[in-house]
Amino acid sequence: MSLFGAPRVRTRGIMALAVVATAAGATAPIMSAEIPPGERRSGYEFMSPETRAMQDDDSANPGTFWVLDGETLWSQKAGEANRACADCHGDARDSMKGVAARYPAFYAARSRPIDLEQRINICRTEKQKAPALAAESKELLALTAFVGRQSRGMPITISGDRLIEFLEAGRSLFHRRQGQLNLSCSQCHDDNWGKVLAGNTIPQAHPTGYPIYRLEWQGLGSLQRRLRNCMIGMRAEPYEFGAPEQVALELYLMWRARGLKMETPGVRP
Amino acid sequence: MTRALVNIPKQAKRGETIEIKTLLSHPMETGYRRDTMGRAVPRDIINRFVCTYNGVEVFRADLFPAIAANPFLTFYTVATESGELKLSWTGDDGETRTETATITVA
């Protein structure tokens, strides 16, 4: 059994139906089941050969600009403490290897999980004594992309018993219908992936390449920006950047993508 | 900070067709957008790209507002002799950003 157990059935009504179905010998899932590990596919595999080539070649991947900017920021002293990231963490190629593949992670001082952007900002405010970087600012994206780049090719691994409660919160958000279109994330990304919606193939929503260079944005953006995009698409009110719901969703999505390889900085259409 | 990424083979055989890939970080602001206060954002695009090979122009492109941010241009030329490839991007502000790369032709 996996670390966090099988997906839970949401309501009593569906539970009752499931019992009836099982009794009748039916094996087909009643509600959206989690995608089995063997069928999990990164959004990369749904892209055109041209877009894949763009991601694979560092000199064609525009995300490289942010990675290079992040590398510069890594060794730049900041804040009242006049310290650079490199002063504590040394060479990011060693110290940050695999880190992004483990985030969001539990942060004991706040008794809840934090994502990579929040981790960077905690370092900035507490260690460097510098003002926090704004969500989606060029600097924060650059540092996140640079740290994320060090985990490229490594499998996503989310673990820790203290995360279970937040993971369940994320799971229930993922399955909750919302917005004027009354859709849940799961209806597209668990039940209908691989089909076409408005000319685009619906991916499985595995956050393997964040922050991504999205061609539609003509720029780099975080997973939270992408989640807000989806919520606006469902005509729901999006969560604020850094809201606990955002982090819970990020956590659930990363756990759901466990084992897939990191691609940061990814390119998506 | 403007950055340019250029991918040109360092070595080639004489007569070989080589691929040149260029990526420039640039907002390519169209001039048709307005900011949150309703003020027009002035146009700021790269309007010309030129590549010379030992002083001879081998590729030129005019760029227009419909071209996306961070323009990626890739093209081919024939490796004729060892020397220098010079790539230059000229913006609406009249400023030119230049990158050079050397190639050894055997």
Side-chain angles (χ1 to χ4, degrees), chain A residues 54 57-66 68-70 72 138 213 218-219, chain B residues 1 3-7 21-28 67-70 72:
Chain A
M54 203 172 173
D57 179 356
D58 277 345
S59 68
N61 184 339
T64 309
F65 291 131
W66 280 264
L68 293 172
D69 286 350
T72 310
K138 196 170 164 44
Y213 188 89
Q218 301 187 35
Chain B
M1 86 190 92
R3 289 183 188 270
L5 296 172
V6 173
N7 189 353
K21 295 188 206 172
T22 71
L23 182 65
L24 182 78
S25 79
H26 196 277
M28 293 296 278
I67 291 172
N70 308 316
F72 176 57

PDB file of all heavy atoms in Angstrom, chain A residues 54 57-66 68-70 72 138 213 218-219, chain B residues 1 3-7 21-28 67-70 72:
ATOM      1  N   MET A  54      12.113  22.220 -27.756  1.00  0.00           N
ATOM      2  CA  MET A  54      12.403  23.496 -27.118  1.00  0.00           C
ATOM      3  C   MET A  54      12.782  23.274 -25.650  1.00  0.00           C
ATOM      4  O   MET A  54      13.705  23.899 -25.136  1.00  0.00           O
ATOM      5  CB  MET A  54      11.134  24.338 -27.217  1.00  0.00           C
ATOM      6  CG  MET A  54      11.342  25.795 -27.123  1.00  0.00           C
ATOM      7  SD  MET A  54       9.742  26.531 -27.519  1.00  0.00           S
ATOM      8  CE  MET A  54      10.124  28.205 -27.141  1.00  0.00           C
ATOM      9  N   ASP A  57      16.434  21.379 -25.213  1.00  0.00           N
ATOM     10  CA  ASP A  57      17.671  22.063 -25.575  1.00  0.00           C
ATOM     11  C   ASP A  57      17.787  23.345 -24.739  1.00  0.00           C
ATOM     12  O   ASP A  57      17.015  24.276 -24.898  1.00  0.00           O
ATOM     13  CB  ASP A  57      17.616  22.384 -27.084  1.00  0.00           C
ATOM     14  CG  ASP A  57      18.848  23.130 -27.562  1.00  0.00           C
ATOM     15  OD1 ASP A  57      19.706  23.461 -26.723  1.00  0.00           O
ATOM     16  OD2 ASP A  57      18.947  23.371 -28.786  1.00  0.00           O
ATOM     17  N   ASP A  58      18.783  23.363 -23.841  1.00  0.00           N
ATOM     18  CA  ASP A  58      18.947  24.526 -22.959  1.00  0.00           C
ATOM     19  C   ASP A  58      19.106  25.832 -23.729  1.00  0.00           C
ATOM     20  O   ASP A  58      18.726  26.888 -23.236  1.00  0.00           O
ATOM     21  CB  ASP A  58      20.156  24.333 -22.042  1.00  0.00           C
ATOM     22  CG  ASP A  58      19.803  23.504 -20.816  1.00  0.00           C
ATOM     23  OD1 ASP A  58      18.597  23.339 -20.547  1.00  0.00           O
ATOM     24  OD2 ASP A  58      20.731  23.027 -20.142  1.00  0.00           O
ATOM     25  N   SER A  59      19.669  25.762 -24.939  1.00  0.00           N
ATOM     26  CA  SER A  59      19.871  27.002 -25.683  1.00  0.00           C
ATOM     27  C   SER A  59      18.611  27.410 -26.444  1.00  0.00           C
ATOM     28  O   SER A  59      18.570  28.461 -27.069  1.00  0.00           O
ATOM     29  CB  SER A  59      21.054  26.866 -26.648  1.00  0.00           C
ATOM     30  OG  SER A  59      20.739  25.953 -27.670  1.00  0.00           O
ATOM     31  N   ALA A  60      17.568  26.579 -26.409  1.00  0.00           N
ATOM     32  CA  ALA A  60      16.293  26.936 -27.042  1.00  0.00           C
ATOM     33  C   ALA A  60      15.201  27.142 -26.004  1.00  0.00           C
ATOM     34  O   ALA A  60      14.154  27.705 -26.303  1.00  0.00           O
ATOM     35  CB  ALA A  60      15.863  25.843 -28.025  1.00  0.00           C
ATOM     36  N   ASN A  61      15.451  26.673 -24.777  1.00  0.00           N
ATOM     37  CA  ASN A  61      14.465  26.761 -23.694  1.00  0.00           C
ATOM     38  C   ASN A  61      14.550  28.146 -23.040  1.00  0.00           C
ATOM     39  O   ASN A  61      15.542  28.465 -22.391  1.00  0.00           O
ATOM     40  CB  ASN A  61      14.775  25.659 -22.671  1.00  0.00           C
ATOM     41  CG  ASN A  61      13.762  25.604 -21.552  1.00  0.00           C
ATOM     42  OD1 ASN A  61      13.053  26.578 -21.290  1.00  0.00           O
ATOM     43  ND2 ASN A  61      13.709  24.479 -20.885  1.00  0.00           N
ATOM     44  N   PRO A  62      13.507  28.978 -23.211  1.00  0.00           N
ATOM     45  CA  PRO A  62      13.592  30.334 -22.658  1.00  0.00           C
ATOM     46  C   PRO A  62      13.675  30.344 -21.129  1.00  0.00           C
ATOM     47  O   PRO A  62      14.103  31.332 -20.544  1.00  0.00           O
ATOM     48  CB  PRO A  62      12.300  31.007 -23.127  1.00  0.00           C
ATOM     49  CG  PRO A  62      11.713  30.107 -24.155  1.00  0.00           C
ATOM     50  CD  PRO A  62      12.216  28.730 -23.858  1.00  0.00           C
ATOM     51  N   GLY A  63      13.297  29.228 -20.481  1.00  0.00           N
ATOM     52  CA  GLY A  63      13.421  29.126 -19.031  1.00  0.00           C
ATOM     53  C   GLY A  63      14.867  29.282 -18.579  1.00  0.00           C
ATOM     54  O   GLY A  63      15.139  29.654 -17.436  1.00  0.00           O
ATOM     55  N   THR A  64      15.796  28.996 -19.494  1.00  0.00           N
ATOM     56  CA  THR A  64      17.218  29.138 -19.184  1.00  0.00           C
ATOM     57  C   THR A  64      17.560  30.555 -18.726  1.00  0.00           C
ATOM     58  O   THR A  64      18.430  30.740 -17.881  1.00  0.00           O
ATOM     59  CB  THR A  64      18.064  28.772 -20.432  1.00  0.00           C
ATOM     60  OG1 THR A  64      17.626  27.506 -20.904  1.00  0.00           O
ATOM     61  CG2 THR A  64      19.541  28.709 -20.125  1.00  0.00           C
ATOM     62  N   PHE A  65      16.862  31.551 -19.269  1.00  0.00           N
ATOM     63  CA  PHE A  65      17.139  32.939 -18.859  1.00  0.00           C
ATOM     64  C   PHE A  65      16.919  33.110 -17.359  1.00  0.00           C
ATOM     65  O   PHE A  65      17.690  33.769 -16.678  1.00  0.00           O
ATOM     66  CB  PHE A  65      16.232  33.920 -19.608  1.00  0.00           C
ATOM     67  CG  PHE A  65      16.544  34.024 -21.084  1.00  0.00           C
ATOM     68  CD1 PHE A  65      15.534  33.932 -22.029  1.00  0.00           C
ATOM     69  CD2 PHE A  65      17.841  34.240 -21.516  1.00  0.00           C
ATOM     70  CE1 PHE A  65      15.808  34.027 -23.379  1.00  0.00           C
ATOM     71  CE2 PHE A  65      18.130  34.344 -22.867  1.00  0.00           C
ATOM     72  CZ  PHE A  65      17.108  34.237 -23.806  1.00  0.00           C
ATOM     73  N   TRP A  66      15.847  32.513 -16.858  1.00  0.00           N
ATOM     74  CA  TRP A  66      15.553  32.641 -15.421  1.00  0.00           C
ATOM     75  C   TRP A  66      16.546  31.827 -14.595  1.00  0.00           C
ATOM     76  O   TRP A  66      16.943  32.246 -13.524  1.00  0.00           O
ATOM     77  CB  TRP A  66      14.118  32.192 -15.149  1.00  0.00           C
ATOM     78  CG  TRP A  66      13.094  33.229 -15.482  1.00  0.00           C
ATOM     79  CD1 TRP A  66      12.523  34.109 -14.616  1.00  0.00           C
ATOM     80  CD2 TRP A  66      12.511  33.514 -16.768  1.00  0.00           C
ATOM     81  NE1 TRP A  66      11.626  34.910 -15.284  1.00  0.00           N
ATOM     82  CE2 TRP A  66      11.605  34.572 -16.593  1.00  0.00           C
ATOM     83  CE3 TRP A  66      12.690  32.974 -18.041  1.00  0.00           C
ATOM     84  CZ2 TRP A  66      10.856  35.100 -17.652  1.00  0.00           C
ATOM     85  CZ3 TRP A  66      11.952  33.506 -19.086  1.00  0.00           C
ATOM     86  CH2 TRP A  66      11.057  34.559 -18.891  1.00  0.00           C
ATOM     87  N   LEU A  68      19.645  31.261 -15.375  1.00  0.00           N
ATOM     88  CA  LEU A  68      20.895  32.022 -15.342  1.00  0.00           C
ATOM     89  C   LEU A  68      20.786  33.227 -14.399  1.00  0.00           C
ATOM     90  O   LEU A  68      21.719  33.520 -13.649  1.00  0.00           O
ATOM     91  CB  LEU A  68      21.273  32.494 -16.759  1.00  0.00           C
ATOM     92  CG  LEU A  68      21.654  31.376 -17.738  1.00  0.00           C
ATOM     93  CD1 LEU A  68      21.825  31.934 -19.144  1.00  0.00           C
ATOM     94  CD2 LEU A  68      22.936  30.672 -17.298  1.00  0.00           C
ATOM     95  N   ASP A  69      19.628  33.899 -14.427  1.00  0.00           N
ATOM     96  CA  ASP A  69      19.423  35.014 -13.499  1.00  0.00           C
ATOM     97  C   ASP A  69      19.454  34.507 -12.057  1.00  0.00           C
ATOM     98  O   ASP A  69      20.008  35.160 -11.167  1.00  0.00           O
ATOM     99  CB  ASP A  69      18.070  35.702 -13.761  1.00  0.00           C
ATOM    100  CG  ASP A  69      18.096  36.543 -15.035  1.00  0.00           C
ATOM    101  OD1 ASP A  69      19.196  36.734 -15.585  1.00  0.00           O
ATOM    102  OD2 ASP A  69      17.018  37.005 -15.469  1.00  0.00           O
ATOM    103  N   GLY A  70      18.852  33.339 -11.839  1.00  0.00           N
ATOM    104  CA  GLY A  70      18.831  32.747 -10.504  1.00  0.00           C
ATOM    105  C   GLY A  70      20.234  32.426 -10.021  1.00  0.00           C
ATOM    106  O   GLY A  70      20.560  32.622  -8.852  1.00  0.00           O
ATOM    107  N   THR A  72      22.895  34.016 -10.812  1.00  0.00           N
ATOM    108  CA  THR A  72      23.516  35.290 -10.420  1.00  0.00           C
ATOM    109  C   THR A  72      23.025  35.695  -9.028  1.00  0.00           C
ATOM    110  O   THR A  72      23.822  36.084  -8.170  1.00  0.00           O
ATOM    111  CB  THR A  72      23.140  36.390 -11.444  1.00  0.00           C
ATOM    112  OG1 THR A  72      23.420  35.883 -12.750  1.00  0.00           O
ATOM    113  CG2 THR A  72      23.920  37.660 -11.209  1.00  0.00           C
ATOM    114  N   LYS A 138      10.204  38.513 -10.857  1.00  0.00           N
ATOM    115  CA  LYS A 138      11.271  37.941 -11.666  1.00  0.00           C
ATOM    116  C   LYS A 138      12.326  37.266 -10.777  1.00  0.00           C
ATOM    117  O   LYS A 138      12.797  36.178 -11.082  1.00  0.00           O
ATOM    118  CB  LYS A 138      11.901  39.058 -12.502  1.00  0.00           C
ATOM    119  CG  LYS A 138      12.741  38.571 -13.654  1.00  0.00           C
ATOM    120  CD  LYS A 138      13.122  39.728 -14.556  1.00  0.00           C
ATOM    121  CE  LYS A 138      14.256  39.416 -15.516  1.00  0.00           C
ATOM    122  NZ  LYS A 138      14.221  38.154 -16.202  1.00  0.00           N
ATOM    123  N   TYR A 213       7.974  27.670 -18.389  1.00  0.00           N
ATOM    124  CA  TYR A 213       7.850  28.709 -19.399  1.00  0.00           C
ATOM    125  C   TYR A 213       6.626  28.328 -20.214  1.00  0.00           C
ATOM    126  O   TYR A 213       6.640  27.334 -20.946  1.00  0.00           O
ATOM    127  CB  TYR A 213       9.080  28.777 -20.294  1.00  0.00           C
ATOM    128  CG  TYR A 213       9.037  29.981 -21.221  1.00  0.00           C
ATOM    129  CD1 TYR A 213       9.562  31.201 -20.828  1.00  0.00           C
ATOM    130  CD2 TYR A 213       8.436  29.900 -22.476  1.00  0.00           C
ATOM    131  CE1 TYR A 213       9.501  32.307 -21.640  1.00  0.00           C
ATOM    132  CE2 TYR A 213       8.365  31.010 -23.299  1.00  0.00           C
ATOM    133  CZ  TYR A 213       8.900  32.204 -22.873  1.00  0.00           C
ATOM    134  OH  TYR A 213       8.821  33.310 -23.687  1.00  0.00           O
ATOM    135  N   GLN A 218       4.150  33.797 -22.464  1.00  0.00           N
ATOM    136  CA  GLN A 218       5.396  34.402 -22.953  1.00  0.00           C
ATOM    137  C   GLN A 218       6.313  34.727 -21.791  1.00  0.00           C
ATOM    138  O   GLN A 218       7.008  35.748 -21.775  1.00  0.00           O
ATOM    139  CB  GLN A 218       5.117  35.657 -23.800  1.00  0.00           C
ATOM    140  CG  GLN A 218       4.246  35.334 -24.989  1.00  0.00           C
ATOM    141  CD  GLN A 218       4.088  36.496 -25.941  1.00  0.00           C
ATOM    142  OE1 GLN A 218       5.013  37.276 -26.129  1.00  0.00           O
ATOM    143  NE2 GLN A 218       2.930  36.613 -26.546  1.00  0.00           N
ATOM    144  N   GLY A 219       6.273  33.875 -20.790  1.00  0.00           N
ATOM    145  CA  GLY A 219       7.127  34.098 -19.630  1.00  0.00           C
ATOM    146  C   GLY A 219       7.066  32.911 -18.687  1.00  0.00           C
ATOM    147  O   GLY A 219       6.329  31.953 -18.922  1.00  0.00           O
TER     148      GLY A 219
ATOM    149  N   MET B   1      18.062  42.553 -17.117  1.00  0.00           N
ATOM    150  CA  MET B   1      19.304  42.188 -17.793  1.00  0.00           C
ATOM    151  C   MET B   1      18.983  41.368 -19.035  1.00  0.00           C
ATOM    152  O   MET B   1      18.259  40.378 -18.970  1.00  0.00           O
ATOM    153  CB  MET B   1      20.242  41.527 -16.782  1.00  0.00           C
ATOM    154  CG  MET B   1      20.172  40.078 -16.488  1.00  0.00           C
ATOM    155  SD  MET B   1      21.204  39.621 -15.060  1.00  0.00           S
ATOM    156  CE  MET B   1      20.045  39.733 -13.691  1.00  0.00           C
ATOM    157  N   ARG B   3      19.789  38.919 -21.986  1.00  0.00           N
ATOM    158  CA  ARG B   3      20.695  37.807 -22.234  1.00  0.00           C
ATOM    159  C   ARG B   3      20.437  37.247 -23.630  1.00  0.00           C
ATOM    160  O   ARG B   3      19.319  37.302 -24.122  1.00  0.00           O
ATOM    161  CB  ARG B   3      20.465  36.685 -21.230  1.00  0.00           C
ATOM    162  CG  ARG B   3      20.920  37.000 -19.825  1.00  0.00           C
ATOM    163  CD  ARG B   3      20.691  35.773 -18.955  1.00  0.00           C
ATOM    164  NE  ARG B   3      20.926  36.047 -17.558  1.00  0.00           N
ATOM    165  CZ  ARG B   3      22.110  35.911 -16.960  1.00  0.00           C
ATOM    166  NH1 ARG B   3      23.159  35.541 -17.658  1.00  0.00           N
ATOM    167  NH2 ARG B   3      22.240  36.144 -15.668  1.00  0.00           N
ATOM    168  N   ALA B   4      21.467  36.716 -24.233  1.00  0.00           N
ATOM    169  CA  ALA B   4      21.311  36.046 -25.517  1.00  0.00           C
ATOM    170  C   ALA B   4      21.939  34.668 -25.407  1.00  0.00           C
ATOM    171  O   ALA B   4      22.991  34.508 -24.801  1.00  0.00           O
ATOM    172  CB  ALA B   4      21.989  36.842 -26.616  1.00  0.00           C
ATOM    173  N   LEU B   5      21.255  33.680 -25.943  1.00  0.00           N
ATOM    174  CA  LEU B   5      21.808  32.325 -25.977  1.00  0.00           C
ATOM    175  C   LEU B   5      22.017  31.951 -27.433  1.00  0.00           C
ATOM    176  O   LEU B   5      21.103  32.077 -28.246  1.00  0.00           O
ATOM    177  CB  LEU B   5      20.840  31.334 -25.328  1.00  0.00           C
ATOM    178  CG  LEU B   5      20.550  31.525 -23.845  1.00  0.00           C
ATOM    179  CD1 LEU B   5      19.430  30.592 -23.401  1.00  0.00           C
ATOM    180  CD2 LEU B   5      21.797  31.257 -23.020  1.00  0.00           C
ATOM    181  N   VAL B   6      23.237  31.547 -27.746  1.00  0.00           N
ATOM    182  CA  VAL B   6      23.572  31.233 -29.128  1.00  0.00           C
ATOM    183  C   VAL B   6      24.150  29.831 -29.170  1.00  0.00           C
ATOM    184  O   VAL B   6      24.995  29.482 -28.347  1.00  0.00           O
ATOM    185  CB  VAL B   6      24.598  32.261 -29.663  1.00  0.00           C
ATOM    186  CG1 VAL B   6      25.082  31.860 -31.034  1.00  0.00           C
ATOM    187  CG2 VAL B   6      23.982  33.648 -29.698  1.00  0.00           C
ATOM    188  N   ASN B   7      23.668  29.032 -30.092  1.00  0.00           N
ATOM    189  CA  ASN B   7      24.163  27.663 -30.223  1.00  0.00           C
ATOM    190  C   ASN B   7      24.670  27.462 -31.653  1.00  0.00           C
ATOM    191  O   ASN B   7      23.893  27.345 -32.586  1.00  0.00           O
ATOM    192  CB  ASN B   7      23.034  26.685 -29.886  1.00  0.00           C
ATOM    193  CG  ASN B   7      23.517  25.259 -29.787  1.00  0.00           C
ATOM    194  OD1 ASN B   7      24.667  24.960 -30.100  1.00  0.00           O
ATOM    195  ND2 ASN B   7      22.640  24.371 -29.353  1.00  0.00           N
ATOM    196  N   LYS B  21      21.320  28.444 -33.836  1.00  0.00           N
ATOM    197  CA  LYS B  21      20.134  28.691 -33.013  1.00  0.00           C
ATOM    198  C   LYS B  21      20.396  29.900 -32.124  1.00  0.00           C
ATOM    199  O   LYS B  21      21.442  29.973 -31.488  1.00  0.00           O
ATOM    200  CB  LYS B  21      19.829  27.479 -32.134  1.00  0.00           C
ATOM    201  CG  LYS B  21      19.444  26.236 -32.894  1.00  0.00           C
ATOM    202  CD  LYS B  21      18.975  25.201 -31.893  1.00  0.00           C
ATOM    203  CE  LYS B  21      19.160  23.797 -32.406  1.00  0.00           C
ATOM    204  NZ  LYS B  21      18.879  22.808 -31.368  1.00  0.00           N
ATOM    205  N   THR B  22      19.444  30.811 -32.093  1.00  0.00           N
ATOM    206  CA  THR B  22      19.605  32.005 -31.257  1.00  0.00           C
ATOM    207  C   THR B  22      18.335  32.256 -30.460  1.00  0.00           C
ATOM    208  O   THR B  22      17.234  32.076 -30.949  1.00  0.00           O
ATOM    209  CB  THR B  22      19.872  33.255 -32.124  1.00  0.00           C
ATOM    210  OG1 THR B  22      18.667  33.587 -32.815  1.00  0.00           O
ATOM    211  CG2 THR B  22      20.981  33.040 -33.119  1.00  0.00           C
ATOM    212  N   LEU B  23      18.546  32.647 -29.223  1.00  0.00           N
ATOM    213  CA  LEU B  23      17.425  32.986 -28.344  1.00  0.00           C
ATOM    214  C   LEU B  23      17.798  34.256 -27.598  1.00  0.00           C
ATOM    215  O   LEU B  23      18.870  34.338 -27.005  1.00  0.00           O
ATOM    216  CB  LEU B  23      17.184  31.831 -27.364  1.00  0.00           C
ATOM    217  CG  LEU B  23      16.035  31.943 -26.368  1.00  0.00           C
ATOM    218  CD1 LEU B  23      14.698  31.955 -27.084  1.00  0.00           C
ATOM    219  CD2 LEU B  23      16.065  30.763 -25.397  1.00  0.00           C
ATOM    220  N   LEU B  24      16.942  35.260 -27.668  1.00  0.00           N
ATOM    221  CA  LEU B  24      17.226  36.539 -27.020  1.00  0.00           C
ATOM    222  C   LEU B  24      16.142  36.822 -25.985  1.00  0.00           C
ATOM    223  O   LEU B  24      14.958  36.630 -26.261  1.00  0.00           O
ATOM    224  CB  LEU B  24      17.242  37.660 -28.062  1.00  0.00           C
ATOM    225  CG  LEU B  24      17.574  39.053 -27.517  1.00  0.00           C
ATOM    226  CD1 LEU B  24      19.070  39.201 -27.293  1.00  0.00           C
ATOM    227  CD2 LEU B  24      17.078  40.145 -28.445  1.00  0.00           C
ATOM    228  N   SER B  25      16.556  37.262 -24.800  1.00  0.00           N
ATOM    229  CA  SER B  25      15.531  37.633 -23.816  1.00  0.00           C
ATOM    230  C   SER B  25      15.091  39.060 -24.104  1.00  0.00           C
ATOM    231  O   SER B  25      15.885  39.997 -24.066  1.00  0.00           O
ATOM    232  CB  SER B  25      16.075  37.501 -22.389  1.00  0.00           C
ATOM    233  OG  SER B  25      16.877  38.590 -22.043  1.00  0.00           O
ATOM    234  N   HIS B  26      13.834  39.196 -24.468  1.00  0.00           N
ATOM    235  CA  HIS B  26      13.299  40.510 -24.804  1.00  0.00           C
ATOM    236  C   HIS B  26      11.779  40.489 -24.645  1.00  0.00           C
ATOM    237  O   HIS B  26      11.136  39.525 -25.057  1.00  0.00           O
ATOM    238  CB  HIS B  26      13.664  40.892 -26.248  1.00  0.00           C
ATOM    239  CG  HIS B  26      13.489  42.345 -26.528  1.00  0.00           C
ATOM    240  ND1 HIS B  26      12.269  42.887 -26.859  1.00  0.00           N
ATOM    241  CD2 HIS B  26      14.358  43.372 -26.489  1.00  0.00           C
ATOM    242  CE1 HIS B  26      12.407  44.198 -27.015  1.00  0.00           C
ATOM    243  NE2 HIS B  26      13.661  44.516 -26.793  1.00  0.00           N
ATOM    244  N   PRO B  27      11.175  41.531 -24.064  1.00  0.00           N
ATOM    245  CA  PRO B  27       9.719  41.484 -23.840  1.00  0.00           C
ATOM    246  C   PRO B  27       8.886  41.564 -25.125  1.00  0.00           C
ATOM    247  O   PRO B  27       7.742  41.118 -25.138  1.00  0.00           O
ATOM    248  CB  PRO B  27       9.451  42.701 -22.958  1.00  0.00           C
ATOM    249  CG  PRO B  27      10.609  43.615 -23.180  1.00  0.00           C
ATOM    250  CD  PRO B  27      11.780  42.739 -23.477  1.00  0.00           C
ATOM    251  N   MET B  28       9.432  42.103 -26.221  1.00  0.00           N
ATOM    252  CA  MET B  28       8.687  42.267 -27.479  1.00  0.00           C
ATOM    253  C   MET B  28       7.316  42.906 -27.216  1.00  0.00           C
ATOM    254  O   MET B  28       6.264  42.366 -27.591  1.00  0.00           O
ATOM    255  CB  MET B  28       8.537  40.923 -28.213  1.00  0.00           C
ATOM    256  CG  MET B  28       9.827  40.343 -28.721  1.00  0.00           C
ATOM    257  SD  MET B  28      10.675  41.310 -29.988  1.00  0.00           S
ATOM    258  CE  MET B  28       9.822  40.823 -31.469  1.00  0.00           C
ATOM    259  N   ILE B  67       5.423  39.020 -33.174  1.00  0.00           N
ATOM    260  CA  ILE B  67       6.379  37.985 -32.769  1.00  0.00           C
ATOM    261  C   ILE B  67       6.475  37.952 -31.246  1.00  0.00           C
ATOM    262  O   ILE B  67       6.566  38.988 -30.592  1.00  0.00           O
ATOM    263  CB  ILE B  67       7.738  38.207 -33.459  1.00  0.00           C
ATOM    264  CG1 ILE B  67       7.555  37.923 -34.966  1.00  0.00           C
ATOM    265  CG2 ILE B  67       8.819  37.317 -32.873  1.00  0.00           C
ATOM    266  CD1 ILE B  67       8.714  38.267 -35.835  1.00  0.00           C
ATOM    267  N   ALA B  68       6.425  36.739 -30.696  1.00  0.00           N
ATOM    268  CA  ALA B  68       6.340  36.557 -29.244  1.00  0.00           C
ATOM    269  C   ALA B  68       7.591  37.048 -28.529  1.00  0.00           C
ATOM    270  O   ALA B  68       8.645  37.256 -29.150  1.00  0.00           O
ATOM    271  CB  ALA B  68       6.109  35.088 -28.928  1.00  0.00           C
ATOM    272  N   ALA B  69       7.447  37.211 -27.221  1.00  0.00           N
ATOM    273  CA  ALA B  69       8.577  37.601 -26.377  1.00  0.00           C
ATOM    274  C   ALA B  69       9.678  36.550 -26.482  1.00  0.00           C
ATOM    275  O   ALA B  69       9.418  35.401 -26.833  1.00  0.00           O
ATOM    276  CB  ALA B  69       8.123  37.728 -24.935  1.00  0.00           C
ATOM    277  N   ASN B  70      10.892  36.950 -26.161  1.00  0.00           N
ATOM    278  CA  ASN B  70      12.060  36.069 -26.205  1.00  0.00           C
ATOM    279  C   ASN B  70      12.185  35.380 -27.570  1.00  0.00           C
ATOM    280  O   ASN B  70      12.098  34.155 -27.662  1.00  0.00           O
ATOM    281  CB  ASN B  70      11.996  35.024 -25.086  1.00  0.00           C
ATOM    282  CG  ASN B  70      11.775  35.663 -23.734  1.00  0.00           C
ATOM    283  OD1 ASN B  70      12.407  36.671 -23.412  1.00  0.00           O
ATOM    284  ND2 ASN B  70      10.865  35.121 -22.952  1.00  0.00           N
ATOM    285  N   PHE B  72      13.049  33.389 -30.712  1.00  0.00           N
ATOM    286  CA  PHE B  72      13.938  32.262 -30.990  1.00  0.00           C
ATOM    287  C   PHE B  72      14.059  32.148 -32.497  1.00  0.00           C
ATOM    288  O   PHE B  72      13.073  31.918 -33.179  1.00  0.00           O
ATOM    289  CB  PHE B  72      13.321  30.998 -30.391  1.00  0.00           C
ATOM    290  CG  PHE B  72      14.076  29.729 -30.674  1.00  0.00           C
ATOM    291  CD1 PHE B  72      15.408  29.602 -30.303  1.00  0.00           C
ATOM    292  CD2 PHE B  72      13.458  28.660 -31.293  1.00  0.00           C
ATOM    293  CE1 PHE B  72      16.105  28.430 -30.541  1.00  0.00           C
ATOM    294  CE2 PHE B  72      14.145  27.475 -31.544  1.00  0.00           C
ATOM    295  CZ  PHE B  72      15.471  27.363 -31.162  1.00  0.00           C
TER     296      PHE B  72
END
